Amino acid sequence: SNSTIDRENTFRNMQDVLFVAAMGPPGGGRAPITQRYQRHFNMLSIVEFDAKALEHIFGTILGWFYRVNNFPEEVCALKKKIIDATLQVYTSSIAKLLPTPAKSHYTFNLRDVSRVIEGLTLQKAEGLETGLGGIGEHYRLWVHETMRVFYDRLVDDDDRTWILGYIKELTISNFDQDFDKLFDHLDFDNSGDVDAEELRHCMFGDYMGDDEPDSQGGNRLYDEITDMSEVVHRLEEYLVDHNGVSKSPMNLAMFLYAAEHVSRICRVLKQPGAHMLCVGVGGSGRQSLSRLASFIMGMECFQIAISKSYTTVEWKEDLKKFCREAGGSGKPCVFLFSDTQIKEESYVEDINNLLNSGEVPNLFPYDERTAVMEQCRVASKKEGNPLETPTELWQYFIEKCRANLHVILCFSPIGEAFRERLRQFPSLVNCCTIDWFREWPNDALEAVANKQLQDVDVPADDRVKLREMCKTFHSSVRELSADYLLKEGRHNYVTPTSYLELLTMFTSLLAKQRERVSSAKKRYEIGLEKLAFTAAAVKEMQDELTALKPNLIRTVAETEELMEKVKKEKAEVVEPKKAIVDEEVAAAAAKGEAAGEVKAECEALLAEAIPALNAALEALDTIKPADIKLVQSFKNPPAAIKLVMEAVCVCLDVKPAKIPDPAGTGRKIDDYWGPSKLLLGQPTFVQSLKEYDKDNIPERIIEKIREKYIANEDFTPANAAKASSAAEGLCRWVCAMDSYEKVAKIVGPKKEALAAAEAEYNSIMDALKVKQDELDAILAALAGMEQQLEDSMAEKKRLEDEVELCTIKLERAETLINGLGGERDRWTVSASDLGVAYDNLTGDMLISAGMISYLGTFTMAFREGIANDWVKACKDAGIPSSAKYSLINCLGDPVAIREWGIAGLPNDSFSVDNGIILANA
């Protein structure tokens, strides 16, 4: 029929549509199809290749590899033997290792054979000359690659034993090599038989050197590794480098188990287009070791970040980012995906497509495809193979994705989900190299314990005992889980996470409880110290109080005597002396006030004459030498000049010359012009006028000046200025002398009175200063006495306070001793018990950590049984612990337990233990 009804019940008629379907043969989880479905198809069965065809295919590939890489002829001659041996392992595994519900991944196909052959092609011809060297290294490489493909996926010890024995047989039958002699360097016990444990040291890798990884343009040598300690050291260096550049550093302990799986993951990442399925329980190191291996191989490790808002849209965007990086940019990278990140099963379906074909159908819309193809066009051109058509460019993108994107899946085998996903998405097995993370071996447990316990504050010998006891706990719980399954029919999985939780819980509980117990013990010890200190202090305080009382009595008496002395000194000496000084100060102030009044009156009178005097002096400054010469040059000067010069000569007491009277009287008259010219000719004439002793002008001179000149109406500066500027200045000077002399007559007596008053005032002040000095000395002596009194009062107060404080302390100490005296014995016993408990904390906290980490799923009977065994084991190992272990006694908080009971928790010990486990988990 060419019609159908879709999900919306709409009838659809389809034309020119052909269905082409493909399926594998039924079995191994694949159900057969019904006859009703089958009748619509023309069946075409494709038979498997026969052995001859497979030998030809893989022989051609391997032979080409040997020729191109110049391997020696003896290696090239092994081509057919290697192909035969590989196919025999393949066919025998299909026949012997059949899939079951517990081993649903036991499905093999030709990809497994190709993985072995591809692993052989990782070796270079020069690799045969390094390490142990020789053709034997190529044999060992074949054994290594066969075990990585077929052995590493096995989950059963019987299956591992069988395939290892079969490989040993093939080395003899096909290569004519004794397997034990081929690996005799791994026969550490010299038994002549190399077992599976010793074969753990069989490793090949390219990460031991310092060369750049292949993904970054390097060409590292894939070679045999023989020194396991060097491997562990090298991986620790890589881990340090990773943590130095990573935003999410990892705290890992490196040991042989980790080195094995890192080496296996690196082997897969070295092969183009190879993928890995890491299967193991939580805490086995799948994701951490995968990230470290990606770093070692120089590849960026992508991982999605799951959140509540993460949907298919974000999932598609993340896939696009990974694919663009690998296909568009051409950078080898790793996509790390865990089953805990599967929010929808469609995620696994997309990964299945990515593994199988290198792409997710319809991942890129057409508009985004254009950008991707443009990126590929540039990349192909750089490679010298320019592509143009969309089909070619998209095929180029898919091929690059398939070659560069390595998918590492980290799944847990617990539950039905793992088997169901393998059944629904067969590419998870077919396209991946499977690495089954088994339970940690002894060396892994030791290495992790050493790292976790290195900071625990215990002696070195005890740290070794603790490490061994942790291993004992881990193995004993595994045995108990088997017994639990047998008796109760319930599974309990003992995982590395439980072991890590044991170590972490022990270190945290030990530190916490040590702090709690030592704090409680310290409180008791401090209490006992306080009691002993108080008893000793009572005796000291009694002696101190006895010694203080006489000092207090003496100080009180001295203080009272000093108070009387100060009071007497004030009344008899200081106050009378101060009254006398105060009277004299008042008298001196009155004298000073009177002198001040006289001084003020003198200054007021002088204020009238001083301006005129200053004006005259300033006028003298205006007289120039030319002006004087001009006056001097007159033979018959004007009357105004002669009048001014006469007045100047009179002031300076210059004698006139006697000349005949021009009127013809026959008498001689006084003439001042001749002396005036001589006077004007003197260089210091003007300076002598400025320095004239105006305060001591003779009476005869000043009277003559006033009668003859000042009274003359023509003797004015204005008239003098008409004749000469020099005459004006000299006229002003003469008038100023007259004005000043008038004031000086009045001021003179007052100045004398002022001088007398000031002299008397100074005499009084001198006498007053002597008395003030005497008063100051008396006051200083009084201040010293008052300070002494103040000190004495302070000492009295201090002694009184000390007596009061000592009395209070004594009363309190006696009260404390009387009240707590009976507690001394109980506190001593409690402190001793806490000391013993502190010593037993190491074993008790180890057992408590074991119960919290491992025993939560077990019933009370199983818990008690194994707890008793652990107590006995601790005693035998010399680790101190309580004789009778109880989780409630070790970690129980009575207050919290009471609150749980109020909230409805049953009060039986099993329920309380569960509450403690939950509270500390």
Side-chain angles (χ1 to χ4, degrees), residues 274-277 334-335 337 351 354-355 405-409 432:
H275 310 288
M276 190 136 199
L277 175 60
V334 175
F335 174 32
F337 186 75
I351 291 176
L354 197 61
L355 295 172
L405 182 58
H406 300 273
V407 179
I408 299 180
L409 303 174
C432 294

Side-chain angles (χ1 to χ4, degrees), residues 86-161:
T86 306
L87 291 174
Q88 288 175 31
V89 174
Y90 168 65
T91 55
S92 299
S93 297
I94 292 176
K96 177 70 176 177
L97 303 174
L98 300 176
T100 66
K103 306 172 184 177
S104 58
H105 60 291
Y106 277 22
T107 55
F108 303 92
N109 55 59
L110 290 178
R111 285 191 179 96
D112 297 318
V113 179
S114 67
R115 290 189 189 103
V116 176
I117 302 303
E118 190 173 3
L120 291 171
T121 61
L122 297 177
Q123 190 179 44
K124 300 177 183 177
E126 58 265 30
L128 298 176
E129 301 174 2
T130 60
L132 298 177
I135 193 172
E137 183 169 330
H138 202 61
Y139 288 134
R140 289 190 292 273
L141 177 61
W142 176 83
V143 174
H144 174 268
E145 297 302 317
T146 303
M147 293 185 68
R148 298 292 76 82
V149 175
F150 294 97
Y151 181 88
D152 288 346
R153 73 171 63 193
L154 304 180
V155 300
D156 189 88
D157 288 337
D158 293 336
D159 296 339
R160 298 190 192 102
T161 303

Side-chain angles (χ1 to χ4, degrees), residues 897 899-908 911-915:
I897 293 172
E899 291 177 352
W900 296 344
I902 294 172
L905 182 73
N907 60 359
D908 59 281
S911 299
V912 175
D913 283 354
N914 287 340

Side-chain angles (χ1 to χ4, degrees), residues 161-181:
T161 303
W162 171 81
I163 198 168
L164 181 58
Y166 188 62
I167 292 174
K168 287 184 177 182
E169 293 175 8
L170 291 177
T171 56
I172 297 175
S173 61
N174 287 48
F175 305 134
D176 197 24
Q177 295 286 326
D178 187 339
F179 183 90
D180 295 321
K181 290 184 178 179

Side-chain angles (χ1 to χ4, degrees), residues 434-462:
I434 301 177
D435 185 12
W436 197 278
F437 283 67
R438 293 179 284 166
E439 63 273 3
W440 279 1
N442 187 61
D443 61 284
L445 298 175
E446 283 190 4
V448 173
N450 286 335
K451 184 175 180 63
Q452 295 288 335
L453 298 176
Q454 63 183 356
D455 296 328
V456 178
D457 185 17
V458 294
D461 294 341
D462 288 353

Side-chain angles (χ1 to χ4, degrees), residues 95 170 251 276 290 346 417 442 448 512 526 580 624 630 700 727 734 810 812 838 853:
L170 291 177
N251 183 22
M276 190 136 199
S290 297
S346 62
N442 187 61
V448 173
K512 179 181 177 182
I526 291 175
I580 295 171
K624 298 177 181 177
L630 179 62
R700 61 182 177 79
V734 172
L810 189 59
R812 290 175 179 174
Y838 186 89
S853 304

Side-chain angles (χ1 to χ4, degrees), residues 488-783:
E488 301 291 337
R490 297 169 62 184
H491 285 279
N492 177 64
Y493 296 97
V494 182
T495 66
T497 301
S498 303
Y499 186 70
L500 292 171
E501 182 68 19
L502 166 67
L503 297 169
T504 306
M505 185 64 65
F506 168 66
T507 54
S508 63
L509 286 179
L510 183 62
K512 179 181 177 182
Q513 294 299 316
R514 276 182 171 178
E515 176 65 22
R516 183 185 65 82
V517 173
S518 62
S519 177
K521 181 172 179 288
K522 189 175 182 180
R523 283 199 298 269
Y524 282 117
E525 291 175 345
I526 291 175
L528 291 172
E529 290 177 2
K530 292 296 182 183
L531 286 176
F533 172 78
T534 303
V538 167
K539 181 65 171 62
E540 292 180 4
M541 286 186 287
Q542 288 175 340
D543 295 342
E544 183 180 355
L545 190 59
T546 303
L548 282 174
K549 286 182 178 179
N551 290 338
L552 178 60
I553 294 172
R554 185 180 66 253
T555 303
V556 169
E558 291 175 354
T559 303
E560 292 177 351
E561 181 182 351
L562 191 57
M563 288 176 66
E564 287 297 327
K565 186 176 180 182
V566 169
K567 185 178 179 181
K568 183 178 180 181
E569 184 74 13
K570 280 184 178 181
E572 296 180 357
V573 177
V574 175
E575 291 179 357
K577 190 70 174 178
K578 188 173 182 300
I580 295 171
V581 171
D582 289 344
E583 290 178 0
E584 293 187 359
V585 167
K591 291 291 183 180
E593 185 177 350
E597 291 176 355
V598 174
K599 184 177 181 182
E601 187 178 355
C602 292
E603 290 175 349
L605 292 172
L606 288 172
E608 298 177 2
I610 290 301
L613 177 64
N614 291 336
L617 294 175
E618 290 174 0
L620 290 177
D621 289 334
T622 63
I623 300 174
K624 298 177 181 177
D627 296 335
I628 296 175
K629 285 184 178 180
L630 179 62
V631 174
Q632 190 179 12
S633 65
F634 290 141
K635 291 183 178 181
N636 189 18
I641 293 176
K642 287 183 71 175
L643 184 64
V644 170
M645 288 308 300
E646 283 182 20
V648 171
C649 289
V650 171
C651 286
L652 295 178
D653 200 14
V654 175
K655 303 296 181 181
K658 296 290 185 176
I659 62 171
D661 186 2
T665 59
R667 291 182 300 158
K668 289 189 177 183
I669 60 174
D670 293 336
D671 181 39
Y672 283 93
W673 180 243
S676 296
K677 289 174 69 175
L678 294 174
L679 186 64
L680 290 170
Q682 292 178 6
T684 59
F685 170 63
V686 175
Q687 187 64 30
S688 65
L689 296 180
K690 290 180 180 180
E691 295 175 355
Y692 185 72
D693 188 8
K694 56 186 179 295
D695 291 321
N696 298 301
I697 301 174
E699 186 67 26
R700 61 182 177 79
I701 291 175
I702 196 64
E703 286 181 358
K704 186 176 181 180
I705 288 296
R706 287 173 182 160
E707 290 174 0
K708 188 175 182 179
Y709 301 106
I710 298 301
N712 191 343
E713 295 178 356
D714 294 329
F715 190 83
T716 62
N719 287 336
K722 295 176 182 178
S724 170
S725 60
E728 179 190 7
L730 294 173
C731 182
R732 288 181 181 277
W733 179 80
V734 172
C735 292
M737 293 300 105
D738 172 58
S739 298
Y740 186 82
E741 199 276 341
K742 289 178 183 179
V743 174
K745 281 186 176 181
I746 301 171
V747 172
K750 291 186 178 295
K751 280 188 175 181
E752 292 176 0
L754 176 62
E758 286 180 346
E760 184 181 1
Y761 175 74
N762 291 334
S763 175
I764 293 172
M765 289 304 294
D766 291 339
L768 179 61
K769 186 176 184 306
V770 172
K771 294 184 178 181
Q772 282 182 332
D773 291 342
E774 293 176 358
L775 179 61
D776 291 341
I778 294 171
L779 290 175
L782 179 62

